[in-house]
Amino acid sequence: MRPRIFLPILLALTVATGPSAAFAHTPRPGDSRSGPAPSGADMPTVGGNLANQHYSGLTQITRRNLDRLGPAWRTHVSAVAPASDDVGQQTTPIVADGVIYLDTPGGEVIAVDGATGAAKWKWKPAGFETADTRRGVSVGAGKVYTLAGGDRVVALDKDTGAQVWAVQPAVGAGVDLGNIDRVATVYHDGIVYVHAANGNRAAVVAVRASDGGYLWHFFGGSEPGTTYTDVNGNTVDPGATWGPDPQCGLEGGATPWMHGAVDPGLGYYYMTFGNPRSCRSSQDGSLRPGDNLFSDTIIAVDLKTGAYKWHYQSIHHDVWDMDNVHPPTLADITVSGKQRKVLFYGSKSGHQFVLDRTNGKPVLPVTEKPMIQDARQHNAATQPFPGQRLLPECVVWQKLDPRTVPGDPWRAVPNYNGYQADAKGNLVYNPDSYVAADQPYLSYPAGKDHRAGCMYDPQWDLPILSTTSPNGGGDWSNDSYSHSTNMVYYPYGVSPVAHWNGAASNGQRAIGQYQTGGILAYDASTGKVRWRNHLGTDMAHGQGPLTTASDLLFVGQIDGRFLALDARDGDILWQFQTGSGISGAPITYTVDGEQYVAVLAAGSTNPYGASVTQGDSLWAFKLGGRATTGSGSQEGPDTAPLTIRRPVQGGPVDGATVDNTILLGRENRTTDTAAARDSTAQRAMAPTHLRVPVGTTVTFRNPGAETFPNFPNQLPHCATQYFEGLFNPKLKPGESFPFTFTRAGEYYFNDCTDPRPAGKIEVYPAPRDLPGALRFLPSTLDLGSRTGIFTGVHGVVTATLSIPAGYRLDGDGEVVLRTPLSQTPVEARQAKVIGRTLVVVFNKADLDNNVPVGDAVALTLAGQFLHDGSQQQLTSTATVRIVK
């Protein structure tokens, strides 16, 4: 059951109204009025302000009155004409003069009245296509700036949505600026800054706001022989850092995936460039020896001319796709008693470099740490590490044990890096495992003798697991800097990845690991972590925070929850279910003296794929907001269950169709060829996903000549079950191992010979329906709010279930209520057996948004019981009357 935490109503005080009360910023230590100013009545940039601080000086909504915060309106932006059924988008809205501007799921642009939610206009291009994936628009000089298909930059009239101009920025013949299709635009002082992404090479491009005319561009991969001298007098030839082949740098990736930051006072524009991807792959650096500048680098340029000022590289010779590309955040803070103009930079690595934004030099300590090197990869001898680390530097090789599930968020899947389970389930490094093949090429700094799954552990053609990951750290979610607390708020994801030269894309997320995440806050002046709230879902993919001068932190979740946290300690104070995943940052603004908070809940796919509930809802909240949905509740229904664990490849196979047998080291059950035996592919468990009822005995077989007479397996193979550690047979060719599953659940396993092949056994309970056994007391459920706001839904719903003789509640089983509006059951607050009656209590607040108003609403109770030593599910359905 997900707790909903509210402040007591008795703490609610009279709220002052009017613009002066809503905007009452009080400077605190670390605040500087001469530096980037917090936003006020509007948030006209996708970063909140040009410094990407995502901080507002508004104070009308406070911890004391959060119980009065409710939805003011909800707009389905795809339904607005020209309507579509598109869902899913990664954009962050902006607001200017009380009007919200944002990308729709289909890539159009819509303008919405910030007070009412009514659409003012919606633009869809004519004669060319939209750019579907978008991360934000910008506004200025009476126009809104967006991107569209065909690498177009488009300007729209701010008031009418009429297209003013559309250009395809061009420099000259043969110069491809890259794919201009997703990154948020930035406007300042007559210039629109556009970042290309994807492709082999991409640039940051500046165009005139008046007509889209080209001004300048800057590539992450420079022409060989082009030198740059920074403001400190240092000169560098970036093209010379890519090795002997000049094409490596010119096709090297190093693309600017996220929007930049502007410092009007210094006249600088700051931009981040991604990882190298050329000359074979992102994970093979053998043909591009050197630091590979300007990959994994932040660069400052003159905002008018694009002239280079300085750079700072966060990773040398990246072979892990660990680019630190999230939007840089600027602030003026006090460090060691001195006022400093700083920039916060870093994301996937779990690092935050605090740099002097005038010259690019570290303000807080950074150490070049010696690294393990593989001679074939040309790994850099050292890598920069901030003195204060935000996330763990290494994975955790936690013991396999039912009592430690799910366990440490950074726990590693067994068998990777040679960490194999002993007889007690401890994961112990085995130097004679598959990793022994790399040993002749590795050199170690003092104190290390193997790769333990730590940052920047090298790989070649065998899988090596490390942290954080291309999918973890902060990835492309934004930070927030609070002038009030002088803290930086950093959302993160946890998803360790195995790399090898032949790995698809940017590595293999270990099958069966938990992909989770949370948010932390660190002191801007020292780098020390002040608090961490590991909320449980990934927050690295657009779940950016917004902080306010009343020390509130608003942030969305991919499971649809919109949260308000205490910015001082990270405690959840308020939460609201939007009904679809959130993959962008919220905004706050005022209209007619009232403060609103708005967020787009449209869904996305990172990193949970199709399990994320998609949508198109723009929500706005205010004190006293009383808008309701079609169900009569203010909240949307709970989203569908997320696939938190990294899924296997392949759909479910009924166990009875394959004799409840899994073949190890094979991708299928029939191919008898030399290439098929002892496979190390992810699918090399046949089948990868077996589905069986409780009580089934499953046989694991390392197929020998009796199965494949021409080309039997030649190596031993394992079925190491994790993370419970229930079985771990090591089988020679021709050997088998049976295991009987007595409880429902998902049981993952992989191979000790090579950890890439992985499988899952889905064990489902045998259901028994009990017609007429379920009753609700009373049969009319009043889920109404005493205040008219969803926070006022209090109390419980009680149900009873008559249990047949011989059944007892399984201590490890759950009791849930299946409802009409959600695929996610409502978990019981309490369940207790009295005689032969199960008495179950549910929170009304957990139930109301998942059921409609009506006289005949069907609710189904399901619980896990033990009968004759076997687990069984009892279910029963009752019809009730719902009022709200």
Side-chain angles (χ1 to χ4, degrees):
M1 181 168 58
R2 295 172 301 162
R4 179 183 279 135
I5 305 172
F6 304 113
L7 292 180
I9 293 178
L10 58 89
L11 290 181
L13 302 177
T14 301
V15 180
T17 59
S20 61
F23 182 72
H25 171 71
T26 302
R28 304 279 185 90
D31 182 20
S32 173
R33 285 293 189 168
S34 63
S39 66
D42 288 333
M43 276 195 158
T45 73
V46 77
N49 59 5
L50 292 171
N52 290 327
Q53 291 181 337
H54 289 268
Y55 173 79
S56 171
L58 301 182
T59 58
Q60 190 178 89
I61 300 170
T62 71
R63 292 186 300 276
R64 291 180 176 273
N65 59 29
L66 266 176
D67 63 312
R68 294 182 52 216
L69 186 65
W73 51 261
R74 175 194 196 184
T75 299
H76 290 282
V77 293
S78 292
V80 175
S84 74
D85 57 3
D86 293 305
V87 292
Q89 192 54 279
Q90 301 173 355
T91 195
T92 292
I94 63 173
V95 60
D97 299 325
V99 178
I100 300 174
Y101 303 92
L102 72 153
D103 310 290
T104 70
E108 304 93 355
V109 177
I110 190 170
V112 176
D113 186 295
T116 67
K120 298 176 73 67
W121 54 258
K122 184 177 180 181
W123 170 83
K124 182 176 183 178
F128 53 91
E129 299 298 318
T130 60
D132 290 344
T133 299
R134 294 286 294 111
R135 290 173 178 167
V137 301
S138 58
V139 63
K143 294 182 282 293
V144 176
Y145 307 94
T146 188
L147 306 181
D151 301 323
R152 286 178 171 85
V153 187
V154 181
L156 309 173
D157 185 281
K158 180 175 74 74
D159 299 320
T160 68
Q163 185 173 304
V164 179
W165 52 255
V167 301
Q168 296 167 294
V171 182
V175 179
D176 183 359
L177 294 174
N179 299 333
I180 300 173
D181 63 357
R182 73 171 57 190
V183 183
T185 60
V186 175
Y187 169 85
H188 172 65
D189 194 22
I191 298 178
V192 182
Y193 301 92
V194 178
H195 290 215
N198 299 313
N200 293 330
R201 195 184 188 204
V204 172
V205 186
V207 301
R208 284 191 301 269
S210 59
D211 59 5
Y214 165 84
L215 293 174
W216 58 260
H217 73 279
F218 197 103
F219 277 112
S222 299
E223 298 281 350
T226 303
T227 60
Y228 297 86
T229 300
D230 68 16
V231 295
N232 306 300
N234 303 311
T235 299
V236 64
D237 177 358
T241 67
W242 289 81
D245 185 350
Q247 289 301 115
C248 287
L250 296 180
E251 299 175 355
T255 56
W257 289 94
M258 296 300 293
H259 61 278
V262 178
D263 186 332
L266 292 175
Y268 287 179
Y269 183 75
Y270 304 91
M271 49 200 181
T272 57
F273 288 90
N275 66 297
R277 304 195 296 273
S278 66
C279 295
R280 290 187 179 160
S281 78
S282 62
Q283 293 158 99
D284 184 347
S286 60
L287 298 183
R288 48 177 171 85
D291 285 349
N292 306 155
L293 290 169
F294 289 116
S295 70
D296 299 298
T297 299
I298 186 166
I299 300 175
V301 298
D302 184 286
L303 58 82
K304 293 290 187 182
T305 67
Y308 165 89
K309 296 298 181 181
W310 59 258
H311 77 272
Y312 186 88
Q313 188 179 48
S314 59
I315 304 173
H316 315 312
H317 189 74
D318 183 358
V319 293
W320 308 274
D321 187 10
M322 291 286 286
D323 47 355
N324 292 311
V325 293
H326 74 179
T329 302
L330 317 181
D332 286 7
I333 63 174
T334 302
V335 179
S336 300
K338 296 182 179 180
Q339 195 78 356
R340 303 295 298 269
K341 295 180 179 294
V342 303
L343 176 152
F344 305 103
Y345 163 59
S347 58
K348 289 184 182 180
S349 62
H351 292 159
Q352 286 275 271
F353 297 92
V354 183
L355 308 178
D356 186 318
R357 69 178 187 272
T358 69
N359 57 28
K361 295 181 179 181
V363 171
L364 296 183
V366 175
T367 301
E368 287 281 343
K369 292 179 59 174
M371 293 287 106
I372 303 173
Q373 296 174 265
D374 188 312
R376 298 163 293 185
Q377 278 281 34
H378 301 297
N379 298 109
T382 64
Q383 294 287 357
F385 280 70
Q388 297 291 336
R389 182 157 177 81
L390 305 183
L391 303 177
E393 187 175 323
C394 305
V395 298
V396 176
W397 301 100
Q398 193 168 6
K399 180 180 180 179
L400 304 182
D401 191 315
R403 295 167 296 183
T404 58
V405 175
D408 191 289
W410 281 269
R411 79 179 308 169
V413 168
N415 292 323
Y416 279 97
N417 299 20
Y419 278 81
Q420 299 178 339
D422 63 14
K424 295 182 179 180
N426 298 301
L427 297 182
V428 181
Y429 175 66
N430 177 9
D432 297 323
S433 63
Y434 77 94
V435 297
D438 285 342
Q439 197 62 28
Y441 305 96
L442 300 177
S443 58
Y444 298 93
K448 291 188 176 182
D449 60 4
H450 68 277
R451 293 163 293 183
C454 298
M455 182 72 68
Y456 310 133
D457 277 354
Q459 77 282 339
W460 184 242
D461 55 7
L462 294 170
I464 297 298
L465 190 73
S466 61
T467 193
T468 50
S469 84
N471 219 39
D475 205 345
W476 53 266
S477 287
N478 63 268
D479 289 349
S480 172
Y481 169 74
S482 169
H483 293 235
S484 174
T485 65
N486 193 41
M487 286 192 268
V488 177
Y489 300 87
Y490 177 91
Y492 62 88
V494 183
S495 183
V497 168
H499 298 282
W500 69 93
N501 285 347
S505 184
N506 50 15
Q508 176 175 311
R509 284 83 168 153
I511 303 300
Q513 72 183 356
Y514 294 92
Q515 299 179 115
T516 62
I519 189 168
L520 60 82
Y522 68 90
D523 189 300
S525 298
T526 66
K528 293 182 179 180
V529 174
R530 295 275 294 273
W531 58 257
R532 183 193 313 273
N533 190 333
H534 194 81
L535 291 165
T537 57
D538 174 271
M539 293 185 67
H541 296 95
Q543 291 77 30
L546 163 72
T547 55
T548 71
S550 55
D551 291 344
L552 291 176
L553 185 157
F554 292 95
V555 69
Q557 300 283 278
I558 197 64
D559 65 4
R561 289 178 298 152
F562 187 44
L563 309 179
L565 282 66
D566 190 320
R568 299 170 302 183
D569 58 21
D571 287 348
I572 297 177
L573 304 175
W574 174 96
Q575 60 180 304
F576 180 91
Q577 177 55 255
T578 65
S580 47
I582 299 173
S583 297
I587 58 173
T588 188
Y589 57 94
T590 61
V591 179
D592 296 330
E594 286 191 295
Q595 183 182 355
Y596 294 79
V597 179
V599 69
L600 178 68
S604 186
T605 57
N606 297 93
Y608 303 122
S611 71
V612 177
T613 300
Q614 306 293 301
D616 70 338
S617 296
L618 178 64
W619 290 86
F621 304 83
K622 71 175 184 178
L623 298 176
R626 295 175 183 270
T628 58
T629 67
S631 72
S633 169
Q634 289 200 299
E635 295 181 277
D638 290 340
T639 55
L642 292 173
T643 305
I644 295 292
R645 300 186 73 172
R646 190 70 185 175
V648 296
Q649 291 193 349
V653 174
D654 186 87
T657 65
V658 291
D659 197 26
N660 296 320
T661 301
I662 296 173
L663 303 185
L664 310 181
R666 310 294 287 214
E667 291 190 60
N668 61 61
R669 307 177 71 84
T670 58
T671 303
D672 190 7
T673 65
R677 66 183 173 193
D678 297 307
S679 174
T680 60
Q682 292 182 58
R683 292 178 176 269
M685 300 287 183
T688 57
H689 182 175
L690 192 71
R691 191 170 186 271
V692 298
V694 169
T696 301
T697 297
V698 174
T699 300
F700 299 88
R701 178 174 297 149
N702 184 355
E706 78 291 344
T707 308
F708 297 104
N710 297 317
F711 296 97
N713 279 357
Q714 296 179 321
L715 302 174
H717 292 283
C718 296
T720 305
Q721 194 277 319
Y722 53 91
F723 292 100
E724 293 82 0
L726 300 180
F727 50 84
N728 186 24
K730 187 171 185 177
L731 306 175
K732 297 177 182 178
E735 292 184 333
S736 297
F737 170 79
F739 186 84
T740 301
F741 291 88
T742 60
R743 290 185 180 276
E746 293 183 324
Y747 300 87
Y748 287 82
F749 58 94
N750 69 355
D751 196 345
C752 60
T753 300
D754 188 298
R756 287 172 284 192
K760 179 180 81 169
I761 299 172
E762 177 188 349
V763 182
Y764 59 90
R768 178 183 174 185
D769 190 49
L770 304 174
L774 178 65
R775 293 182 60 200
F776 285 86
L777 306 172
S779 59
T780 294
L781 306 185
D782 185 353
L783 305 181
S785 167
R786 292 173 297 174
T787 63
I789 299 174
F790 77 104
T791 56
V793 178
H794 297 298
V796 298
V797 169
T798 302
T800 63
L801 179 73
S802 298
I803 306 170
Y807 284 81
R808 61 185 178 88
L809 188 64
D810 187 350
D812 294 329
E814 62 177 14
V815 178
V816 299
L817 199 62
R818 298 171 185 161
T819 61
L821 301 182
S822 175
Q823 299 178 44
T824 299
V826 175
E827 297 180 17
R829 171 179 172 175
Q830 185 179 29
K832 184 178 182 180
V833 175
I834 302 174
R836 288 176 54 183
T837 300
L838 174 68
V839 180
V840 190
V841 175
F842 297 93
N843 286 328
K844 287 184 176 180
D846 296 332
L847 186 60
D848 82 303
N849 58 311
N850 295 307
V851 294
V853 171
D855 293 330
V857 178
L859 301 176
T860 300
L861 187 138
Q864 305 286 24
F865 290 80
L866 294 176
H867 178 63
D868 293 337
S870 179
Q871 191 181 53
Q872 189 171 27
Q873 185 181 78
L874 297 181
T875 66
S876 187
T877 301
T879 298
V880 298
R881 179 171 178 259
I882 302 290
V883 297
K884 297 184 183 180

